[in-house]
mmCIF file of all heavy atoms in Angstrom:
data_model
loop_
_atom_site.group_PDB
_atom_site.id
_atom_site.type_symbol
_atom_site.label_atom_id
_atom_site.label_comp_id
_atom_site.label_asym_id
_atom_site.label_seq_id
_atom_site.Cartn_x
_atom_site.Cartn_y
_atom_site.Cartn_z
ATOM 1 N N LEU A 82 -11.165 22.953 2.377
ATOM 2 C CA LEU A 82 -12.563 22.709 2.699
ATOM 3 C C LEU A 82 -12.993 21.310 2.404
ATOM 4 O O LEU A 82 -12.258 20.578 1.728
ATOM 5 C CB LEU A 82 -13.411 23.716 1.882
ATOM 6 C CG LEU A 82 -13.110 25.214 2.153
ATOM 7 C CD1 LEU A 82 -13.947 26.065 1.280
ATOM 8 C CD2 LEU A 82 -13.335 25.515 3.638
ATOM 9 N N SER A 83 -14.125 20.963 2.892
ATOM 10 C CA SER A 83 -14.712 19.641 2.623
ATOM 11 C C SER A 83 -15.881 19.883 1.605
ATOM 12 O O SER A 83 -15.976 21.003 1.104
ATOM 13 C CB SER A 83 -15.189 19.091 3.955
ATOM 14 O OG SER A 83 -16.172 18.141 3.789
ATOM 15 N N LEU A 84 -16.591 18.879 1.274
ATOM 16 C CA LEU A 84 -17.616 19.012 0.266
ATOM 17 C C LEU A 84 -19.033 18.693 0.867
ATOM 18 O O LEU A 84 -19.157 17.866 1.699
ATOM 19 C CB LEU A 84 -17.368 18.082 -0.909
ATOM 20 C CG LEU A 84 -16.125 18.311 -1.796
ATOM 21 C CD1 LEU A 84 -15.926 17.168 -2.747
ATOM 22 C CD2 LEU A 84 -16.323 19.591 -2.561
ATOM 23 N N GLU A 113 -15.583 14.469 -11.636
ATOM 24 C CA GLU A 113 -14.391 13.579 -11.368
ATOM 25 C C GLU A 113 -14.765 12.489 -10.408
ATOM 26 O O GLU A 113 -15.760 12.621 -9.689
ATOM 27 C CB GLU A 113 -13.350 14.477 -10.712
ATOM 28 C CG GLU A 113 -12.863 15.648 -11.490
ATOM 29 C CD GLU A 113 -12.161 16.693 -10.577
ATOM 30 O OE1 GLU A 113 -11.685 16.314 -9.486
ATOM 31 O OE2 GLU A 113 -12.104 17.835 -10.986
ATOM 32 N N MET A 114 -13.920 11.521 -10.339
ATOM 33 C CA MET A 114 -14.071 10.500 -9.344
ATOM 34 C C MET A 114 -13.719 11.057 -7.956
ATOM 35 O O MET A 114 -12.846 11.868 -7.814
ATOM 36 C CB MET A 114 -13.070 9.360 -9.568
ATOM 37 C CG MET A 114 -13.585 8.332 -10.529
ATOM 38 S SD MET A 114 -15.023 7.572 -9.823
ATOM 39 C CE MET A 114 -15.757 6.883 -11.285
ATOM 40 N N LYS A 115 -14.443 10.635 -6.925
ATOM 41 C CA LYS A 115 -14.096 10.968 -5.570
ATOM 42 C C LYS A 115 -13.318 9.792 -5.014
ATOM 43 O O LYS A 115 -13.840 8.764 -4.746
ATOM 44 C CB LYS A 115 -15.383 11.232 -4.759
ATOM 45 C CG LYS A 115 -15.096 11.791 -3.371
ATOM 46 C CD LYS A 115 -16.362 12.299 -2.730
ATOM 47 C CE LYS A 115 -16.190 12.909 -1.413
ATOM 48 N NZ LYS A 115 -15.378 12.161 -0.400
ATOM 49 N N ILE A 116 -11.997 10.012 -4.908
ATOM 50 C CA ILE A 116 -11.124 8.952 -4.511
ATOM 51 C C ILE A 116 -11.256 8.803 -2.959
ATOM 52 O O ILE A 116 -11.248 9.773 -2.229
ATOM 53 C CB ILE A 116 -9.652 9.295 -4.815
ATOM 54 C CG1 ILE A 116 -9.557 9.774 -6.265
ATOM 55 C CG2 ILE A 116 -8.715 8.144 -4.559
ATOM 56 C CD1 ILE A 116 -9.968 8.755 -7.276
ATOM 57 N N LEU A 119 -6.919 10.085 1.396
ATOM 58 C CA LEU A 119 -6.622 11.070 2.389
ATOM 59 C C LEU A 119 -6.289 12.400 1.694
ATOM 60 O O LEU A 119 -5.423 12.373 0.813
ATOM 61 C CB LEU A 119 -5.401 10.566 3.182
ATOM 62 C CG LEU A 119 -4.904 11.317 4.384
ATOM 63 C CD1 LEU A 119 -5.807 11.011 5.529
ATOM 64 C CD2 LEU A 119 -3.504 10.853 4.682
ATOM 65 N N ALA A 120 -6.971 13.443 2.073
ATOM 66 C CA ALA A 120 -6.748 14.762 1.366
ATOM 67 C C ALA A 120 -5.352 15.271 1.799
ATOM 68 O O ALA A 120 -5.017 15.303 2.988
ATOM 69 C CB ALA A 120 -7.780 15.737 1.723
ATOM 70 N N ARG A 136 -4.730 17.298 5.509
ATOM 71 C CA ARG A 136 -5.795 18.332 5.647
ATOM 72 C C ARG A 136 -5.988 18.706 7.077
ATOM 73 O O ARG A 136 -6.231 19.889 7.382
ATOM 74 C CB ARG A 136 -7.076 17.791 5.053
ATOM 75 C CG ARG A 136 -8.219 18.775 4.995
ATOM 76 C CD ARG A 136 -9.405 18.205 4.302
ATOM 77 N NE ARG A 136 -10.421 17.830 5.304
ATOM 78 C CZ ARG A 136 -11.379 18.562 5.725
ATOM 79 N NH1 ARG A 136 -11.579 19.755 5.167
ATOM 80 N NH2 ARG A 136 -12.236 18.130 6.562
ATOM 81 N N ARG A 168 -3.622 20.330 -4.568
ATOM 82 C CA ARG A 168 -4.271 19.397 -3.645
ATOM 83 C C ARG A 168 -4.667 18.120 -4.327
ATOM 84 O O ARG A 168 -4.990 18.084 -5.512
ATOM 85 C CB ARG A 168 -5.575 20.091 -3.123
ATOM 86 C CG ARG A 168 -5.231 21.220 -2.218
ATOM 87 C CD ARG A 168 -6.503 21.661 -1.578
ATOM 88 N NE ARG A 168 -6.277 22.977 -1.005
ATOM 89 C CZ ARG A 168 -7.296 23.690 -0.561
ATOM 90 N NH1 ARG A 168 -8.557 23.230 -0.706
ATOM 91 N NH2 ARG A 168 -7.040 24.834 -0.069
ATOM 92 N N GLU A 170 -5.604 13.590 -3.496
ATOM 93 C CA GLU A 170 -5.955 12.532 -2.598
ATOM 94 C C GLU A 170 -4.860 11.412 -2.679
ATOM 95 O O GLU A 170 -4.564 10.856 -3.742
ATOM 96 C CB GLU A 170 -7.329 11.939 -3.066
ATOM 97 C CG GLU A 170 -8.020 11.117 -2.050
ATOM 98 C CD GLU A 170 -8.890 11.957 -1.062
ATOM 99 O OE1 GLU A 170 -8.758 13.224 -1.113
ATOM 100 O OE2 GLU A 170 -9.576 11.387 -0.250
ATOM 101 N N TYR A 222 -6.199 16.952 -7.806
ATOM 102 C CA TYR A 222 -7.470 17.381 -8.352
ATOM 103 C C TYR A 222 -7.720 18.902 -8.205
ATOM 104 O O TYR A 222 -8.770 19.401 -8.544
ATOM 105 C CB TYR A 222 -8.668 16.626 -7.715
ATOM 106 C CG TYR A 222 -8.692 16.632 -6.206
ATOM 107 C CD1 TYR A 222 -8.970 17.798 -5.506
ATOM 108 C CD2 TYR A 222 -8.516 15.433 -5.556
ATOM 109 C CE1 TYR A 222 -8.973 17.783 -4.113
ATOM 110 C CE2 TYR A 222 -8.579 15.439 -4.116
ATOM 111 C CZ TYR A 222 -8.798 16.656 -3.450
ATOM 112 O OH TYR A 222 -8.824 16.638 -2.081
ATOM 113 N N VAL A 283 -17.315 13.841 -7.803
ATOM 114 C CA VAL A 283 -17.412 15.246 -7.458
ATOM 115 C C VAL A 283 -17.777 16.035 -8.686
ATOM 116 O O VAL A 283 -17.218 15.864 -9.736
ATOM 117 C CB VAL A 283 -16.011 15.735 -6.893
ATOM 118 C CG1 VAL A 283 -16.198 17.184 -6.355
ATOM 119 C CG2 VAL A 283 -15.509 14.822 -5.761
ATOM 120 N N LYS A 285 -18.101 19.799 -10.182
ATOM 121 C CA LYS A 285 -17.594 21.128 -9.919
ATOM 122 C C LYS A 285 -17.937 22.113 -11.065
ATOM 123 O O LYS A 285 -17.837 21.704 -12.211
ATOM 124 C CB LYS A 285 -16.010 21.095 -9.832
ATOM 125 C CG LYS A 285 -15.475 20.130 -8.787
ATOM 126 C CD LYS A 285 -13.939 20.018 -8.867
ATOM 127 C CE LYS A 285 -13.499 19.019 -7.813
ATOM 128 N NZ LYS A 285 -12.027 18.779 -7.859
ATOM 129 N N PRO A 302 -17.041 24.608 -0.469
ATOM 130 C CA PRO A 302 -17.321 25.512 -1.585
ATOM 131 C C PRO A 302 -18.750 25.370 -2.054
ATOM 132 O O PRO A 302 -19.285 24.260 -2.062
ATOM 133 C CB PRO A 302 -16.334 25.071 -2.676
ATOM 134 C CG PRO A 302 -15.916 23.724 -2.297
ATOM 135 C CD PRO A 302 -16.106 23.559 -0.862
ATOM 136 N N TRP A 304 -19.668 25.949 -5.027
ATOM 137 C CA TRP A 304 -19.639 25.582 -6.499
ATOM 138 C C TRP A 304 -19.366 24.128 -6.723
ATOM 139 O O TRP A 304 -19.195 23.728 -7.930
ATOM 140 C CB TRP A 304 -18.655 26.476 -7.194
ATOM 141 C CG TRP A 304 -17.351 26.594 -6.465
ATOM 142 C CD1 TRP A 304 -16.987 27.587 -5.616
ATOM 143 C CD2 TRP A 304 -16.218 25.694 -6.450
ATOM 144 N NE1 TRP A 304 -15.712 27.385 -5.094
ATOM 145 C CE2 TRP A 304 -15.261 26.215 -5.588
ATOM 146 C CE3 TRP A 304 -15.980 24.501 -7.169
ATOM 147 C CZ2 TRP A 304 -14.029 25.580 -5.369
ATOM 148 C CZ3 TRP A 304 -14.768 23.868 -6.935
ATOM 149 C CH2 TRP A 304 -13.816 24.434 -6.059
HETATM 150 S S1 LIG B 1 -12.530 18.697 -4.427
HETATM 151 C C1 LIG B 1 -12.145 22.785 -2.658
HETATM 152 N N1 LIG B 1 -12.162 16.522 -5.816
HETATM 153 O O1 LIG B 1 -13.328 14.475 -0.712
HETATM 154 C C2 LIG B 1 -11.866 21.422 -3.137
HETATM 155 N N2 LIG B 1 -12.245 16.317 -3.409
HETATM 156 O O2 LIG B 1 -15.522 15.261 1.098
HETATM 157 C C3 LIG B 1 -12.534 20.372 -2.368
HETATM 158 N N3 LIG B 1 -11.908 14.027 -2.618
HETATM 159 O O3 LIG B 1 -11.604 16.469 1.453
HETATM 160 C C4 LIG B 1 -12.283 18.987 -2.719
HETATM 161 N N4 LIG B 1 -11.605 13.112 -4.594
HETATM 162 O O4 LIG B 1 -10.332 14.587 0.312
HETATM 163 C C5 LIG B 1 -12.253 17.027 -4.611
HETATM 164 N N5 LIG B 1 -11.797 14.657 -7.193
HETATM 165 C C6 LIG B 1 -11.916 15.177 -5.971
HETATM 166 C C7 LIG B 1 -11.832 14.419 -4.771
HETATM 167 C C8 LIG B 1 -12.029 14.991 -3.565
HETATM 168 C C9 LIG B 1 -11.621 12.881 -3.237
HETATM 169 C C10 LIG B 1 -12.014 14.185 -1.133
HETATM 170 C C11 LIG B 1 -11.179 15.258 -0.527
HETATM 171 C C12 LIG B 1 -12.093 16.109 0.238
HETATM 172 C C13 LIG B 1 -13.277 15.243 0.422
HETATM 173 C C14 LIG B 1 -14.567 16.008 0.613
#
Side-chain angles (χ1 to χ4, degrees):
L82 302 176
S83 158
L84 292 170
E113 301 162 20
M114 275 296 159
K115 188 168 183 309
I116 311 300
L119 186 76
R136 186 176 101 94
R168 293 190 194 167
E170 198 83 353
Y222 53 66
V283 186
K285 302 175 180 174
W304 44 265

